[in-house]
Amino acid sequence: MVAPLYTTDSGLLFHAGKILVCTVGLPARGKTHISRALERYLRWTGVKTQVISLGDYRRKVLGSAQNLPPDYFMLEQSGKSHQTVELRQKILEGCEQLIWDFFNSGGQVVIYDANNGTREKRQEIAEKADKKKIHIVFLESICDNEDIILSNIRGVKISSPDYKGWNSEKAIEDYYRRIRDHEKHYEPVDEDKWPSIRIMNVGERIMVNQIRGYLQSRIVFFLMNIHNRFRTIYFARSGQSLIEHSYKADSDLSPAGWEYAEKLKEFVLERRQKSLEQRGIDGSDRRLVIWTSARRRSHHTAWPFLTTVTSSLPFPIAHSHSTASLSTLAKTSILAPSADPQLINFRSEMPTPHDHTHDHKHHETLEPGRRKDSITSQGSSHGPSSHHLHYPRVKVIEKPQMSEINPGVWDGMTPEQVRKYFPDEWERFVRDPYAYRAPRAESYHDLCVRLEPILIELEREREDLLIIGHASVIRCILAYLIGLPQSEIPAIEVARGDLIEVVPTSYGVTSTAFHFWDGPGRKGDEGQGGKDESNFYENYAEDTRGKRKTDVAV
């Protein structure tokens, strides 16, 4: 994570003091989604942050909505019983006490996830925070897009414990009733006295007032880059290369690596199609975006996804499940003037699996205005699996920041050699694999700092995303999404042959690993193309006992 490697007496970073971020908005406006995303980012920066949700606290104390008085969600005071008023006040005071307790225990930022829909209520909590020398920021989520509101209700609200066992349509109707009741009493944030951030349609537009200081500005910057469109993020390691043990040798894929790339394509497209069908999502208008590093073994692992372009060419090209289909395409200069202008055109030949003299920069798109480091392919349903698989539109983008961790002078050395020639350095490395930096190398902390722009682009990306990368890079990005502490980052196992599927939701993320490959480069002795001890700095987790491993679904 990008947290500084120092501590302060107060435990507070960036000279920002303590900050209370109070969400404001009608129900189903994405407040919880925004709160959880902001919490994840601030924790990544090292800031002690916690989301305190009024709804979660109420459910924890009183149970689901079935256990509440029928007038509990009514905002009209004249229509409530005295017992209900006292119950609501008790829940409110108990939840607010959690806020002050977190600050008193050394926390720096609290995100108070509640409606806070009246000026009177906002003024009350702002005055309490001000007396405690805590900065207040009101974060209002405004939404006039009915599709977003309905999506929030269907995707989050009716699946909450409040509606357990309810018919979905009745649950939606009941929740709309809650919204209409809140609309009668809702007062938008228009006070100039306190700092505020107003977000329209979860990132469509943002307005700020009196935002001061580095940390508050970072919060605004992050909120400018988020959305709540459903998408799935996939992770896979690149295929085996001809020279696995050398960081300096930017070697191409081995024959087994090219075969792995083909298998990865087939499995990702099949898994993605199944996932969309299970959720009732039409994938015809969705694009699959693929990020790779600029290293050959990473970028070339994505090439089989681009072979679907051949279906739109004016001449036939054979398809097969082996690397022959890629070789055939690689030897063909594709310049189809009658093809769709969205299709990729190659200005030079793609290298075959056995031709390692070509550089990845030798090909680029000819579409006006598109970045040179991106390649696109139009979707097709032709090919060997067309009876059940639809090839989506694909865009491949190189990300130079996603290169693997630099091992420095330890490049190509085994653990035994490092212990022999660098005994003191080895002891420091074993004590703290995350923060320690080998001579002329990068630490995992350095790598996390390098990857921060990638994380912001990850939040911005609205399409399904496949990251084909190196184990060290995948570990860092997974730790960000799942919310793991920095000490666990080097010990996350990312096996070649597993596809990790991460689905961001309003209350966090779900992650599952699917196994699809048992060929060379996954396990076994070095002579069999398996684990390479000369690359231990990159794959330290594979040599660590008690490592964190995601359950694998076969």
Side-chain angles (χ1 to χ4, degrees):
M1 55 185 62
V2 297
L5 293 178
Y6 61 83
T7 58
T8 62
D9 291 338
S10 65
L12 307 182
L13 297 179
F14 311 121
H15 305 284
K18 300 178 180 180
I19 302 175
L20 174 59
V21 179
C22 290
T23 65
V24 181
L26 293 166
R29 262 54 179 184
K31 298 186 299 298
T32 297
H33 170 82
I34 294 171
S35 299
R36 298 293 176 180
L38 181 58
E39 177 191 44
R40 180 174 66 238
Y41 176 71
L42 291 179
R43 285 182 174 177
W44 176 261
T45 64
V47 178
K48 296 178 182 178
T49 308
Q50 183 171 333
V51 171
I52 295 179
S53 168
L54 181 60
D56 289 347
Y57 179 77
R58 184 257 303 165
R59 282 185 285 270
K60 181 179 179 180
V61 175
L62 301 178
S64 63
Q66 287 85 346
N67 302 328
L68 302 176
D71 58 348
Y72 186 88
F73 293 107
M74 292 178 57
L75 297 184
E76 190 65 52
Q77 295 294 330
S78 60
K80 289 182 184 177
S81 66
H82 179 68
Q83 291 80 2
T84 300
V85 173
E86 289 184 346
L87 184 61
R88 284 179 62 93
Q89 187 62 28
K90 176 184 175 181
I91 294 299
L92 182 62
E93 292 174 355
C95 187
E96 289 184 359
Q97 188 58 45
L98 293 180
I99 297 174
W100 316 131
D101 289 345
F102 181 75
F103 281 127
N104 293 334
S105 64
Q108 185 168 4
V109 175
V110 168
I111 305 168
Y112 181 31
D113 183 12
N115 292 329
N116 296 312
T118 64
R119 297 185 185 92
E120 179 183 0
K121 174 58 187 171
R122 294 194 291 269
Q123 182 65 22
E124 178 185 338
I125 194 168
E127 290 177 353
K128 290 180 181 178
D130 192 52
K131 289 180 181 179
K132 298 177 182 291
K133 307 299 182 182
I134 297 172
H135 303 291
I136 186 83
V137 176
F138 290 113
L139 174 56
E140 183 179 22
S141 180
I142 310 165
C143 187
D144 57 7
N145 188 321
E146 288 298 327
D147 292 336
I148 295 178
I149 296 173
L150 182 59
S151 175
N152 288 339
I153 294 175
R154 287 188 179 277
V156 181
K157 300 304 180 182
I158 66 172
S159 60
S160 74
D162 286 347
Y163 292 104
K164 186 177 181 179
W166 282 52
N167 174 275
S168 60
E169 296 305 319
K170 288 186 177 180
I172 292 174
E173 181 181 348
D174 181 77
Y175 204 82
Y176 267 118
R177 180 186 57 79
R178 284 196 204 179
I179 294 175
R180 288 191 294 269
D181 187 50
H182 278 77
E183 286 176 338
K184 298 176 184 177
H185 305 86
Y186 184 75
E187 297 171 334
V189 174
D190 53 11
E191 306 97 307
D192 293 332
K193 182 177 180 181
W194 308 106
S196 62
I197 306 169
R198 307 184 71 195
I199 302 177
M200 175 67 74
N201 293 331
V202 196
E204 183 179 289
R205 190 166 74 250
I206 187 168
M207 298 155 279
V208 300
N209 172 59
Q210 293 195 47
I211 295 300
R212 298 186 178 93
Y214 175 75
L215 186 53
Q216 292 186 25
S217 299
R218 284 283 288 267
I219 290 173
V220 173
F221 170 70
F222 175 77
L223 295 175
M224 293 173 66
N225 290 280
I226 65 172
H227 63 86
N228 69 339
R229 187 174 191 250
F230 176 83
R231 43 72 181 268
T232 303
I233 304 171
Y234 301 97
F235 295 88
R237 285 183 59 174
S238 56
Q240 183 193 46
S241 60
L242 291 170
I243 306 176
E244 284 278 273
H245 68 276
S246 176
Y247 171 83
K248 297 176 182 177
D250 186 13
S251 60
D252 208 339
L253 294 177
S254 67
W258 287 106
E259 183 181 352
Y260 168 90
E262 289 280 354
K263 293 293 185 182
L264 175 64
K265 178 196 75 172
E266 295 171 9
F267 189 80
V268 167
L269 296 184
E270 181 180 355
R271 175 61 201 164
R272 179 175 179 267
Q273 180 173 310
K274 184 183 299 183
S275 177
L276 292 174
E277 290 174 352
Q278 289 174 347
R279 291 175 169 83
I281 299 175
D282 181 11
S284 60
D285 62 339
R286 299 174 70 97
R287 171 183 283 179
L288 176 63
V289 177
I290 303 175
W291 289 358
T292 74
S293 77
R295 308 284 283 186
R296 288 181 179 178
R297 60 181 174 272
S298 174
H299 188 66
H300 289 178
T301 303
W303 277 12
F305 289 88
L306 300 174
T307 60
T308 57
V309 71
T310 60
S311 62
S312 298
L313 296 177
F315 49 86
I317 291 181
H319 292 268
S320 75
H321 284 284
S322 69
T323 57
S325 62
L326 185 60
S327 302
T328 304
L329 175 62
K331 296 175 181 177
T332 308
S333 179
I334 305 174
L335 294 170
S338 61
D340 190 297
Q342 293 291 328
L343 296 177
I344 175 175
N345 290 319
F346 290 85
R347 297 207 303 196
S348 62
E349 295 183 358
M350 296 169 61
T352 70
H354 306 289
D355 179 8
H356 312 290
T357 61
H358 290 70
D359 190 88
H360 62 271
K361 295 179 182 178
H362 287 175
H363 55 78
E364 59 184 18
T365 68
L366 300 181
E367 181 184 344
R370 187 173 297 282
R371 293 173 51 181
K372 289 186 177 182
D373 60 351
S374 66
I375 305 174
T376 59
S377 170
Q378 188 72 23
S380 168
S381 59
H382 300 284
S385 304
S386 61
H387 62 283
H388 67 90
L389 191 62
H390 173 76
Y391 288 113
R393 293 178 298 152
V394 174
K395 180 178 181 181
V396 178
I397 306 176
E398 288 183 13
K399 300 284 187 181
Q401 303 99 316
M402 285 174 51
S403 293
E404 73 266 44
I405 192 170
N406 186 343
V409 299
W410 291 1
D411 185 25
M413 299 179 69
T414 66
E416 289 72 23
Q417 290 173 325
V418 174
R419 290 190 193 99
K420 178 180 179 180
Y421 298 112
F422 301 90
D424 295 338
E425 302 289 344
W426 174 261
E427 290 298 326
R428 297 190 187 100
F429 169 70
V430 172
R431 282 198 298 268
D432 191 356
Y434 171 78
Y436 174 75
R437 181 187 298 121
R440 301 181 185 178
E442 285 181 302
S443 67
Y444 267 95
H445 177 77
D446 297 330
L447 179 59
C448 288
V449 172
R450 166 155 59 91
L451 289 174
E452 186 182 9
I454 295 295
L455 301 180
I456 297 300
E457 292 189 51
L458 183 71
E459 295 288 353
R460 287 182 62 87
E461 183 57 62
R462 302 175 65 89
E463 304 287 353
D464 292 337
L465 178 64
L466 168 62
I467 295 178
I468 302 176
H470 313 281
S472 55
V473 172
I474 294 176
R475 290 186 190 109
C476 295
I477 300 177
L478 275 177
Y480 167 75
L481 289 172
I482 300 175
L484 298 180
Q486 65 185 36
S487 60
E488 293 193 28
I489 292 177
I492 300 173
E493 182 175 357
V494 183
R496 180 176 285 138
D498 288 349
L499 178 72
I500 303 174
E501 179 183 271
V502 176
V503 181
T505 65
S506 294
Y507 288 93
V509 299
T510 60
S511 61
T512 310
F514 300 91
H515 174 61
F516 69 93
W517 170 261
D518 268 320
R522 175 174 172 85
K523 57 186 178 181
D525 298 330
E526 182 178 349
Q528 297 173 339
K531 183 178 73 173
D532 187 354
E533 289 194 344
S534 299
N535 198 24
F536 78 96
Y537 196 77
E538 159 77 7
N539 297 320
Y540 176 69
E542 279 71 2
D543 300 314
T544 307
R545 296 195 176 195
K547 54 185 172 277
R548 186 183 186 96
K549 183 176 180 180
T550 307
D551 292 337
V552 177
V554 181

